[in-house]
Amino acid sequence: MRLHYRSPRGWLNDPHGVIHRADGYHVFHQHAPETLDWGLGIEWGHAVGDDLFSLRYVAPAIQPGDGDDGIWTGCIVEDDLGPLAYYTSARQPVLGLASVRTARPRDTALTSWDKGDVVVTAPAGLGIRDFRDPFVLRDGDVWRMMVGSDSASGHAMMHGFVSPDGESWAYDGVALSRHRDETDGVWMGALWECPQVIEVDGSWVMLTSVWEAGRLHYAGYAVGEFAGGRFTPRAWGRLTYGTYYAPTVFRDAAGRPCMMAWLREVRGEDWTGCLSLPYVLRVDGDRLLAEPHPDLDAHAAPGTAERYTWLPEGLLELTDTATLELDGDVLRLVTPSLTAELPHDGGPVEVVLDDEVVEVRGGRGLLGGPAR
């Protein structure tokens, strides 16, 4: 695998805290280096690179201990004092009902961090059993934090918190919710993991991972307006098909709205999980589109990965055991460990085959997962 980042060993899941600084990109991710399976002692792994295709693992950044049983997904912002991390602090005995805690780096390389206080806990009175994954952004004179949850009413929720300084936070109500029984546009599940908001082409996008009853589904989104801490959707949609999960949004070095995701079920001898290609986000009407990051052009050279455009017709053999097939109005990816479908809009698709992983981008979304 040459274009897709993975850790040197162990389990990897959600990317988060992707930032660009004077020394290049810093990408953090969920990591359990001593096991090939998800476990309680998850920490923040840390990778750096001159661009998004040159990432190399550095070391663990924030680890369990000091009151944390698991260091789960979060984000990084920069304030007047420098980088500030917000992470999900998971604690026994109820791991799902987590809190949000801060940390600051001790060094400019962001390799060593001091933990701060718990700044946010789940609001009472809503029957919340799962609460996690802070995302923080600047909104005029204040900071806003979005955190995902379920609820006793069956609504998936994105909760809003507001702060004048990024340190002291107050609950600001439900920023967006949707009942698990609603299906207009797309079904959005009973819990939103990693809900995030970002402005794209003059519209606002809420991008989240759809979860229900212990099952990870896909990335869904709303397109609309975000003002005063409330998200008003005008359309709902689905972005990913296959094994993508936990996309994180960020601005690249040129200020473009981008995302990367976790690709599940991709594995090698001593590692499990990798990050997707980075994508630039675009809004066309009420649809969210993801296009390969332009840095790919400098790295997808002969001898690395296969990258090509295919006008779907019949069957495309990707490897001796993996195929991509047009069947009516769907593209079907079949590999030894995955069968998944992407709705097809009639246009060409872009295919990247990179050893253990395949990604397909079409007009209706992203389709990807293990190729072997």
Side-chain angles (χ1 to χ4, degrees), residues 221-282:
Y221 64 86
V223 175
E225 300 300 326
F226 181 67
R230 299 293 183 270
F231 195 102
T232 304
R234 65 173 186 262
W236 300 85
R238 177 174 174 175
L239 181 63
T240 68
Y241 300 78
T243 67
Y244 296 94
Y245 200 73
T248 187
V249 300
F250 61 95
R251 299 277 174 181
D252 70 0
R256 290 172 291 224
C258 299
M259 61 144 274
M260 297 176 73
W262 165 39
L263 277 166
R264 313 186 321 270
E265 301 174 23
V266 180
R267 57 179 56 87
E269 182 177 348
D270 55 1
W271 58 272
T272 302
C274 72
L275 301 189
S276 75
L277 299 174
Y279 290 90
V280 177
L281 297 175
R282 187 165 63 85

Side-chain angles (χ1 to χ4, degrees), residues 15 25 151 288:
Y25 285 95
S151 68
L288 178 64

Side-chain angles (χ1 to χ4, degrees), residues 16 101 116 123 128 154 168 199 205 214 354:
H16 45 73
R101 195 172 176 183
I128 295 173
S168 59
E199 190 173 13
V205 172
D354 189 18

Side-chain angles (χ1 to χ4, degrees), residues 313-367:
E313 181 180 4
L315 185 72
L316 175 66
E317 293 188 0
L318 299 170
T319 71
D320 55 358
T321 58
T323 59
L324 187 62
E325 178 184 13
L326 178 63
D327 184 3
D329 59 356
V330 300
L331 285 170
R332 183 176 299 113
L333 176 65
V334 179
T335 79
S337 58
L338 173 69
T339 298
E341 295 180 345
L342 168 70
H344 183 234
D345 65 354
V349 299
E350 295 181 67
V351 180
V352 174
L353 180 62
D354 189 18
D355 201 1
E356 295 96 343
V357 62
V358 58
E359 294 194 62
V360 180
R361 186 197 73 86
R364 299 288 184 180
L366 302 175
L367 170 64

